[in-house]
Amino acid sequence: MAQKIGQEKGAAAQVGTFETETGSGGELHQLPGSGSPVLTTQQGVPVADDQNSLRVGERGPTLLEDFHFREKIFHFDHERIPERVVHARGFGVHGTFTLTESLEEFTTAKILTEVGEKTPMFVRFSTVAGNKGSFDLARDVRGFAAKFYTKEGNWDIVANNIPVFFIQDAIKFPDLVHAAKQEPDRGFPQAQTAHDNFWDFIGLTPESMHMIMWTMSDRAIPRSYRFMEGFGVHSFRLINAEGKAVFVKFHFKPRQGLQSVLWNEAVKINGADPDFHRRDLWDAIDLGSPPEWDFGVQIFDDDFADNFEFDVLDPTKIIPEEQVPVRIVGRFVLDNHVDNFFAETEQVAFCTQNVVPGIGFSNDPLLQGRNFSYLDTQLKRLGSPNFTHIPINAPKGCPFHNFQQDGHMAMRNPKGRVNYEPNSWAAGENNPRADPNTGYRHFGEEVNGRKAQVRSETFADHYSQARQFFISQTPIEQKHIGDALVFELSKCERIDIRERIVGHLRHIDQTLATVVADGLGLPALPEPVQAAVPTRTDLPPSPALSIVARGPESFAGRKLGILVSDEAPAKLLKALVAGVKAAGAVYEIIAPKIAGATLDDGSQVEAKQKIDGGPSVLYDAVVLLLAPDGAAQLALDKTAKDFVSDAYAHAKFIGYIEDALPLIDAAGIGEADMDEGLILLSNAETVAGFLKTCGALRLWEREYKVDLDAA
Ligand code: HDD
């Protein structure tokens, strides 16, 4: 109902109309001539003074009577809600899913059978261990939780960017998370697993070894959310119209390709831009190149499951794509910012139990436990069973009716007399009924057995797939895994904790175990820990598991950093900018001063970053366009030297002109270090060649050399 407010202010207030969130109309008084509404209390009372509280005399005490002051402070005091116990730091974005191939043979779910149908969706990316205010580039698993607002209800795939998990049974989740997060006495370290408690738990939990290979790999330091895969991890069920079920694993594959950063780079990015990942996604959407993913499924039947080398209910195992190919059946694009971070990113509530007809669960003990935990945690976090009334959590693609009522903050309240079923009141909008035909049906799987707290023997092999992952990596990726283990374990104070991990590595790969033992300076190679079953050495490498082997072939979606000085060559910069655009990439200008630079043709170029605010770790490749004076000056500047030496050490491609050589030299890159990754730019042709080479993203051979130089 529209109501008149503010009329009592007489001629001073103009009246307009507005829509409130609940859809009821109202009238809004505007401040004359300002185009803005008048500030009001939550009760709608117009406020005359928002700068001074009510007091006695000019210097006297504040009065309790000031209801505006009290309401404002009261509300502010309660602005925070508990952060998520894990995945606290997240970034949400809206998008659309489109089905390209029907899975009607396997499922009745409309989202997976109606080709061309567009389903709105919301994704929240996250890190796991760090608190809400931590940094984006922690070495960590990334959450990739997706909510699809389908015509048959909300479907959540609460995915990660890694296809396996640390533990096999949900009962161990609190221990895992306690061990991974800050140590309880000191409250640090923040957002990292490089500490005794984590590695102690891991060393005593051999089932985590496969996951450890992934978290110590480059997967745990992605270059951007845009360059990550997503995995539903568990085997789920698809159920068709005849009630028959198959197993399914869900995959999201970035159309931009996969990419990660180096650990040394991650450490520096966290200082230079703690919001690196969220800014990257925000900018990509703003610049009109929203990221897209292919949506794929691995479908397999019970026969396959019975004959597969491992248990398909074990969440520490994958099914190699070479064995069951990922069938691409859809695509999604993430192309819309949230309007309000709190309302959407913070308040979104994912639950693994949110499935739609035609999609069901397997008996994976981790999934079964998750189905309890997610619903439960939302009550704590959002404060009411009515969290489903919050717009980001409410179904969008379909009507919804039930007799659930009351509770804190109930925004949707049934009308009329009937609030139970069965009832003999007249049929109608407020009297919903279950539908045996289209309603959700659980898959009628036969189950029998003895009640017991047991772990199936089919879950006992903890090393074979860890080994398979390791041997599937390119040599540089294997080196990164070794480096990461040495780094993390070097942060552990207890030698026995370090040694126990090496004892596990001995079941995975002897060279890896030796390299890590050597990196830790252990006096001798520790004995292998006792294994339940011997490692299988017959599993072939799975090329799908490597990032580098599947690297992109173009520079599209990547970012070039161009360092310029006054008198830099305008013609070359123009060619670079055109080339970058043609490659579907973006660039940023970095200059000694934020005002930018005056080029050799007298034109002015604006800078996005001042040199110390735009270190080279923020870019995929860099160019040095410097005039002799500029190069000489920057050769004396520590941050400019770091810009070049870091780009070099991080194996990036560096374009330069002759006049920039003094800076390169000052950065410690002598003539003998000039490799094919340093590319001389002189004209449009060399610029085009440089950008083509940048498509390889890194000159990995250089990393070995840099590491040897450092040793
Ligand atoms: Fe979880 C959040 C992913 C195991 C309990 N989890 C959470 C989020 C993601 C995952 C992406 C963030 C959702 C968001 O952005 O709001 N979790 C996983 C994956 C797992 C997994 C892929 C293993 C395959 N989780 C797991 C277990 C339990 C939980 C075994 C408990 C038994 N997870 C939670 C939680 C969280 C959560 C405590 C914290 C906030 C929330 O749920 O909404 O309930």
Side-chain angles (χ1 to χ4, degrees):
M1 278 288 290
Q3 44 181 158
K4 296 265 180 202
I5 49 172
Q7 283 301 301
E8 66 280 8
K9 298 297 277 186
Q14 297 169 2
V15 178
T17 54
F18 70 99
E19 283 278 303
T20 66
E21 284 226 334
T22 47
S24 59
E27 288 181 347
L28 169 76
H29 32 214
Q30 283 193 341
L31 205 57
S34 76
S36 291
V38 168
L39 185 78
T40 71
T41 66
Q42 293 280 20
Q43 306 300 328
V45 176
V47 171
D49 183 348
D50 193 36
Q51 312 302 321
N52 304 292
S53 51
L54 183 68
R55 61 181 65 99
V56 182
E58 280 183 16
R59 301 175 60 245
T62 303
L63 292 178
L64 260 184
E65 186 184 320
D66 188 347
F67 56 84
H68 168 51
F69 164 77
R70 276 191 293 123
E71 181 198 78
K72 186 174 173 182
I73 298 298
F74 150 81
H75 198 278
F76 170 75
D77 288 345
H78 299 275
E79 271 178 11
R80 290 289 169 273
I81 60 172
E83 68 173 34
R84 289 166 175 80
V85 61
V86 279
H87 296 266
R89 182 170 176 78
F91 191 70
V93 58
H94 293 273
T96 308
F97 169 81
T98 310
L99 189 72
T100 51
E101 188 191 316
S102 172
L103 289 175
E104 197 172 358
E105 186 190 344
F106 305 108
T107 178
T108 57
K110 290 198 169 119
I111 183 173
L112 296 179
T113 54
E114 296 186 347
V115 172
E117 177 73 16
K118 294 195 181 314
T119 305
M121 63 185 291
F122 186 75
V123 165
R124 185 175 177 275
F125 294 105
S126 50
T127 50
V128 181
N131 294 344
K132 208 180 138 203
S134 53
F135 36 83
D136 279 352
L137 258 160
R139 173 177 291 285
D140 201 351
V141 183
R142 296 300 182 288
F144 193 155
K147 189 182 284 294
F148 300 89
Y149 301 95
T150 88
K151 291 200 285 199
E152 299 171 291
N154 289 352
W155 175 33
D156 294 354
I157 303 183
V158 196
N160 278 345
N161 74 331
I162 290 180
V164 289
F165 203 62
F166 293 99
I167 47 172
Q168 295 172 324
D169 190 317
I171 199 169
K172 296 311 297 167
F173 191 67
D175 301 286
L176 165 72
V177 175
H178 288 178
K181 292 192 76 138
Q182 301 102 306
E183 298 195 356
D185 54 352
R186 59 210 68 188
F188 61 84
Q190 164 77 266
Q192 51 195 301
T193 53
H195 59 108
D196 287 83
N197 279 7
F198 177 74
W199 287 103
D200 187 25
F201 176 81
I202 293 299
L204 298 169
T205 311
E207 70 208 55
S208 64
M209 278 304 139
H210 186 195
M211 179 72 166
I212 286 298
M213 286 296 107
W214 285 80
T215 56
M216 293 300 111
S217 81
D218 297 345
R219 298 266 178 169
I221 38 174
R223 153 71 174 80
S224 152
Y225 296 137
R226 297 182 292 133
F227 307 131
M228 294 185 335
E229 289 179 305
F231 304 91
V233 179
H234 314 279
S235 299
F236 288 84
R237 287 283 195 180
L238 292 181
I239 308 145
N240 71 10
E242 282 92 54
K244 291 212 178 90
V246 287
F247 287 106
V248 63
K249 280 184 183 263
F250 297 108
H251 294 251
F252 311 150
K253 290 189 175 291
R255 296 177 68 83
Q256 300 72 227
L258 290 172
Q259 191 185 336
S260 287
V261 299
L262 293 173
W263 176 240
N264 181 267
E265 220 180 339
V267 168
K268 292 173 178 168
I269 291 173
N270 283 331
D273 186 2
D275 304 310
F276 188 66
H277 281 160
R278 53 199 56 207
R279 192 187 309 282
D280 171 89
L281 187 51
W282 183 274
D283 288 351
I285 292 172
D286 270 1
L287 292 169
S289 43
E292 288 185 54
W293 280 261
D294 283 328
F295 180 95
V297 286
Q298 279 181 300
I299 294 180
F300 50 98
D301 58 18
D302 286 67
D303 272 353
F304 174 90
D306 293 342
N307 293 308
F308 181 55
E309 295 93 324
F310 304 99
D311 197 325
V312 301
L313 303 183
D314 175 356
T316 67
K317 303 295 185 297
I318 58 162
I319 298 175
E321 291 184 27
E322 291 75 11
Q323 247 166 304
V324 177
V326 175
R327 186 163 157 182
I328 303 301
V329 297
R331 178 188 290 196
F332 59 86
V333 58
L334 300 180
D335 56 358
N336 245 317
H337 297 317
V338 295
D339 288 330
N340 182 279
F341 185 86
F342 179 81
E344 296 160 84
T345 307
E346 270 308 272
Q347 294 201 116
V348 67
F350 294 94
C351 301
T352 48
Q353 61 159 32
N354 289 354
V355 288
V356 293
I359 300 173
F361 309 108
S362 70
N363 295 329
D364 175 339
L366 199 72
L367 175 60
Q368 299 272 325
R370 291 179 76 192
N371 283 347
F372 162 68
S373 183
Y374 287 77
L375 183 63
D376 184 54
T377 203
Q378 310 311 349
L379 184 61
K380 169 78 186 165
R381 216 165 57 75
L382 299 165
S384 158
N386 291 319
F387 71 86
T388 51
H389 297 192
I390 299 172
I392 193 72
N393 295 324
K396 294 193 202 313
C398 61
F400 47 97
H401 306 276
N402 56 54
F403 290 124
Q404 294 168 26
Q405 66 173 31
D406 302 352
H408 287 293
M409 307 293 164
M411 309 298 271
R412 254 184 4 235
N413 298 298
K415 290 190 184 121
R417 195 164 175 185
V418 58
N419 62 353
Y420 58 92
E421 218 209 0
N423 66 66
S424 49
W425 296 98
E429 202 195 330
N430 299 318
N431 197 354
R433 299 268 198 265
D435 178 356
N437 297 316
T438 62
Y440 187 89
R441 289 258 183 221
H442 292 267
F443 172 53
E445 186 178 351
E446 299 267 344
V447 186
N448 55 48
R450 196 172 52 88
K451 244 195 246 177
Q453 285 190 279
V454 286
R455 189 77 57 98
S456 169
E457 275 178 24
T458 54
F459 281 35
D461 181 342
H462 304 317
Y463 302 110
S464 300
Q465 282 206 346
R467 174 181 169 77
Q468 184 179 37
F469 178 80
F470 186 73
I471 62 170
S472 303
Q473 306 301 303
T474 58
I476 194 73
E477 292 171 300
Q478 291 187 339
K479 172 182 177 300
H480 293 165
I481 294 174
D483 290 349
L485 282 160
V486 171
F487 174 88
E488 297 255 326
L489 295 172
S490 297
K491 295 277 180 186
C492 294
E493 290 163 13
R494 278 179 50 174
I495 293 172
D496 59 328
I497 291 177
R498 297 180 200 153
E499 286 177 335
R500 197 184 290 130
I501 298 297
V502 180
H504 286 291
L505 298 180
R506 294 205 55 187
H507 292 297
I508 297 173
D509 184 82
Q510 285 309 320
T511 312
L512 177 66
T514 312
V515 163
V516 174
D518 185 50
L520 293 171
L522 295 181
L525 198 57
E527 286 301 309
V529 296
Q530 213 184 345
V533 293
T535 309
R536 290 180 62 153
T537 51
D538 59 334
L539 300 182
S542 162
L545 300 179
S546 162
I547 294 179
V548 169
R550 298 154 61 210
E553 270 142 33
S554 90
F555 201 53
R558 272 63 183 184
K559 198 182 217 178
L560 184 70
I562 309 175
L563 179 61
V564 300
S565 71
D566 284 340
E567 295 299 323
K571 214 165 145 195
L572 220 45
L573 180 59
K574 214 167 149 193
L576 259 174
V577 168
V580 166
K581 280 191 186 149
V586 292
Y587 70 95
E588 264 182 16
I589 300 284
I590 306 114
K593 289 193 179 152
I594 194 65
T598 309
L599 305 179
D600 63 354
D601 65 352
S603 65
Q604 186 73 21
V605 62
E606 268 183 35
K608 174 81 180 174
Q609 305 284 357
K610 178 176 172 325
I611 178 72
D612 49 1
S616 59
V617 291
L618 302 183
Y619 308 103
D620 295 295
V622 296
V623 167
L624 311 173
L625 279 192
L626 305 174
D629 279 359
Q633 232 167 24
L634 288 174
L636 304 172
D637 183 316
K638 173 89 177 79
T639 52
K641 286 191 280 187
D642 285 351
F643 184 93
V644 181
S645 61
D646 272 353
Y648 184 82
H650 299 147
K652 288 179 184 168
F653 293 100
I654 304 175
Y656 68 99
I657 55 174
E658 292 267 4
D659 289 342
L661 279 169
L663 176 60
I664 296 178
D665 190 51
I669 302 161
E671 239 172 76
D673 304 316
M674 300 291 281
D675 55 33
E676 69 266 33
L678 281 131
I679 298 173
L680 186 65
L681 307 178
S682 50
N683 51 30
E685 215 183 337
T686 46
V687 163
F690 167 71
L691 289 171
K692 192 155 186 282
T693 310
C694 286
L697 300 179
R698 307 281 168 135
L699 183 68
W700 290 117
E701 302 91 86
R702 194 197 287 151
E703 197 191 321
Y704 293 107
K705 180 179 177 306
V706 170
D707 272 13
L708 272 184
D709 286 355

